[in-house]
Amino acid sequence: MGATGLTGDLNHPFTIEPSAEQITVVPGGEPVRAGVRVLPIDDAGVGTVRVVVGIGPESGLSFSRSELMDNNETSYPSGTDSREDTLSFDAVTIDSASKPELYIEVRASANASPEPSVVTFVVGSATCSIPVKFETTDSE
């Protein structure tokens, strides 16, 4: 599951958990959503936190867009310190009372290895990894 977090201007403890137990991607297929829910521990609050999302550099995964979305359709562009395998977002507004979902979209290259991989979210000081399953289609 997630870990507790307390950082930025959101001075209320929270935890994060995956929106799904795992995501399934098809090499060369459509982008798939990977996300986490932010849950208050005691009292809820509103504030901003830094969010970092990472994928394995040799996983065959890539981000389909360089932005983080929430379930209110707010998008956050990635920061200047983002790289091909890591996106950072500096001032993501969180209202932990609404238990928001934060998500990105990933895709797998057509020649992606079916080795297990993860998408990792760091929200404030809370960390959570979501397993990625590669779905293969045999044409034989």
Side-chain angles (χ1 to χ4, degrees):
M1 288 295 149
T4 60
L6 179 64
T7 188
D9 296 330
L10 179 57
N11 292 315
H12 299 270
F14 62 89
T15 187
I16 61 174
E17 65 181 27
S19 300
E21 287 187 28
Q22 85 173 14
I23 61 170
T24 302
V25 295
V26 176
E30 293 295 313
V32 176
R33 190 160 126 169
V36 293
R37 287 211 171 278
V38 179
L39 306 169
I41 292 176
D42 292 319
D43 60 327
V46 178
T48 58
V49 296
R50 178 174 166 82
V51 177
V52 178
V53 184
I55 53 178
E58 303 296 322
S59 66
L61 293 174
S62 63
F63 297 108
S64 64
R65 295 185 288 174
S66 295
E67 63 185 12
L68 178 76
M69 301 287 293
D70 68 18
N71 53 325
N72 293 321
E73 298 184 17
T74 303
S75 80
Y76 299 91
S78 61
T80 56
D81 60 342
S82 294
R83 302 185 316 256
E84 187 175 309
D85 61 346
T86 306
L87 298 179
S88 66
F89 309 91
D90 282 328
V92 177
T93 301
I94 301 288
D95 176 358
S96 60
S98 68
K99 301 176 182 171
E101 179 185 16
L102 304 174
Y103 65 91
I104 49 96
E105 290 183 346
V106 296
R107 63 178 352 129
S109 64
N111 57 353
S113 168
E115 293 299 314
S117 190
V118 295
V119 175
T120 301
F121 281 79
V122 179
V123 179
S125 60
T127 303
C128 176
S129 292
I130 304 163
V132 177
K133 177 184 173 189
F134 291 88
E135 187 166 296
T136 57
T137 54
D138 292 330
S139 56
E140 289 140 39

